[in-house]
Amino acid sequence: MRLFFPATLFLIAFPMWMSNASAEDETSVVVDQRFTQAANRTFKAFNSPLEQSWQGPFFFLQLADTQYGMFTGNKGFEKEAALTQQAVEHINRLQPRFVIVCGDLTNATPDQTRYQAQVKQYHQDFSKVDTEIPLVCVCGNHDVGNRPTSKSIASYQKNFGDDYFSFWAGGVCNIVLNSSVLKDPTGAPEVLAAQQTWLEQKLLEAQQSKAKHIFLFQHHPMFLQKEDEPDQYFNIPLERRAPLLDQLKQAEVRAIFAGHYHRNAYGRAGEMEMITTGPVGRPLGKDPSGFRIVIVQETSIQHQYYGMDDVPKKINLTDQVKP
Ligand SMILES: [Zn+2]
């Protein structure tokens, strides 16, 4: 049922890439393969038309805010690396359909000197995820800056692929947004406009193709608890939030998944769930470092956040089916 990234492509690409590479570049060649799958506004591991049809219940893992460097103010990243390595052990044992990391992959922004070292460690740690499990990365405000520009977005794309894109997985349409341009579009208004036009098209396609669910993934929560709560650091300004939520409700988006808050939060906008997930890295509240397990049934979803030391040994999908 799982679609593997074609090994042939790897075999064809590998010798070409290696022809001018020294031995020490070998790791980055393998890493590149994995981290550049978000391209042309889609995600390569999910490019089969088969993914548009329901194939039975599945689960995925939602991670957020690995934020390498946050514990020490960019002096080191040992704690973040250890937590990520722990998460990777869980990922490889649980074998989810995919893993998605909802932004703030590193603490340093692309213009800061510690950025490349943090990116390198992130790549190194996540490259240990079994190759058949797609790893989807989402950009956060640390990845593209609090005021993103075309230059900061290009830096992100070089290391992690597209900043917004969509993919189908097992009959579900997943839309990934660059929420930093929703938070502050002043440095890249053209990116926000292009993303908005693209989003309208994707929502239409998802409805026309009869998606079982539409999920949205981004870094910033649209809101933490209430859809009309006042503007603050952790949500999207009402000026852009209200029309967007209307549009998403109209398209019957099932759930929005976000991070950024470094603790869990939950709210609803009509039937649509707004799920904010705690960090893999440094917590800012009582929720420990961890991640969320999301079980997708044909007409419903179930999700639960687990601290890194409390993750279940395995997921039994049949136990989770509601009567
Ligand atoms: Zn953030």
Side-chain angles (χ1 to χ4, degrees), residues 20-86:
N20 291 319
S22 64
E24 67 177 63
D25 289 335
E26 193 170 337
T27 315
S28 62
V29 170
V30 176
V31 163
D32 283 351
Q33 178 87 9
R34 170 146 230 164
F35 292 93
T36 52
Q37 291 208 44
N40 303 316
R41 304 291 172 218
T42 186
F43 195 88
K44 281 182 192 165
F46 294 106
N47 65 1
S48 161
L50 277 176
E51 294 291 354
Q52 293 203 15
S53 51
W54 180 251
Q55 294 156 24
F58 65 91
F59 73 98
F60 67 89
L61 306 184
Q62 186 219 357
L63 283 57
D65 299 282
T66 45
Q67 214 158 329
Y68 281 67
M70 185 180 175
F71 274 109
T72 57
N74 290 339
K75 290 189 183 71
F77 39 69
E78 288 76 11
K79 262 186 154 169
E80 289 88 351
L83 286 160
T84 299
Q85 286 157 17
Q86 207 181 344

Side-chain angles (χ1 to χ4, degrees), residues 65 104 141 219 260:
D65 299 282
D104 284 357
N141 55 306
H219 179 61
H260 185 54

Side-chain angles (χ1 to χ4, degrees), residues 162-184:
D162 279 352
D163 57 330
Y164 64 92
F165 54 97
S166 69
F167 62 95
W168 286 79
V172 173
C173 180
N174 300 282
I175 297 175
V176 174
L177 290 187
N178 176 345
S179 61
S180 298
V181 290
L182 276 168
K183 182 71 180 175
D184 181 357

Side-chain angles (χ1 to χ4, degrees), residues 54-189:
W54 180 251
Q55 294 156 24
F58 65 91
F59 73 98
F60 67 89
L61 306 184
Q62 186 219 357
L63 283 57
D65 299 282
T66 45
Q67 214 158 329
Y68 281 67
M70 185 180 175
F71 274 109
T72 57
N74 290 339
K75 290 189 183 71
F77 39 69
E78 288 76 11
K79 262 186 154 169
E80 289 88 351
L83 286 160
T84 299
Q85 286 157 17
Q86 207 181 344
V88 169
E89 281 176 30
H90 290 308
I91 292 166
N92 288 340
R93 184 186 70 255
L94 293 172
Q95 295 285 305
R97 183 68 186 81
F98 63 89
V99 175
I100 186 159
V101 190
C102 278
D104 284 357
L105 313 176
T106 64
N107 190 54
T109 48
D111 56 344
Q112 292 181 311
T113 50
R114 305 294 173 101
Y115 178 69
Q116 280 307 335
Q118 294 175 7
V119 167
K120 194 176 169 198
Q121 188 67 37
Y122 178 98
H123 280 169
Q124 194 176 309
D125 292 336
F126 275 105
S127 65
K128 303 281 190 328
V129 170
D130 289 351
T131 51
E132 69 271 24
I133 303 172
L135 177 79
V136 183
C137 300
V138 180
C139 67
N141 55 306
H142 284 256
D143 306 305
V144 294
N146 282 320
R147 185 175 176 271
T149 61
S150 54
K151 191 173 167 224
S152 69
I153 294 169
S155 296
Y156 175 81
Q157 287 173 322
K158 201 167 138 232
N159 291 302
F160 297 104
D162 279 352
D163 57 330
Y164 64 92
F165 54 97
S166 69
F167 62 95
W168 286 79
V172 173
C173 180
N174 300 282
I175 297 175
V176 174
L177 290 187
N178 176 345
S179 61
S180 298
V181 290
L182 276 168
K183 182 71 180 175
D184 181 357
T186 58

Side-chain angles (χ1 to χ4, degrees), residues 200-267:
E200 282 163 21
Q201 184 59 34
K202 289 296 137 188
L203 291 173
L204 197 64
E205 281 174 24
Q207 286 187 299
Q208 285 170 346
S209 306
K210 308 228 176 317
K212 287 291 177 189
H213 307 285
I214 306 173
F215 296 150
L216 201 77
F217 297 91
Q218 59 184 38
H219 179 61
H220 297 78
M222 295 288 192
F223 57 91
L224 294 171
Q225 275 103 24
K226 291 193 183 311
E227 62 175 303
D228 58 352
E229 70 194 19
D231 294 353
Q232 55 126 307
Y233 176 74
F234 289 109
N235 62 23
I236 297 294
L238 267 168
E239 178 190 356
R240 286 178 289 284
R241 186 200 317 162
L244 187 51
L245 287 179
D246 281 346
Q247 188 186 8
L248 299 174
K249 280 188 226 172
Q250 213 161 22
E252 298 181 346
V253 169
R254 167 82 54 183
I256 305 169
F257 295 90
H260 185 54
Y261 193 40
H262 291 253
R263 67 211 104 162
N264 293 292
Y266 183 81

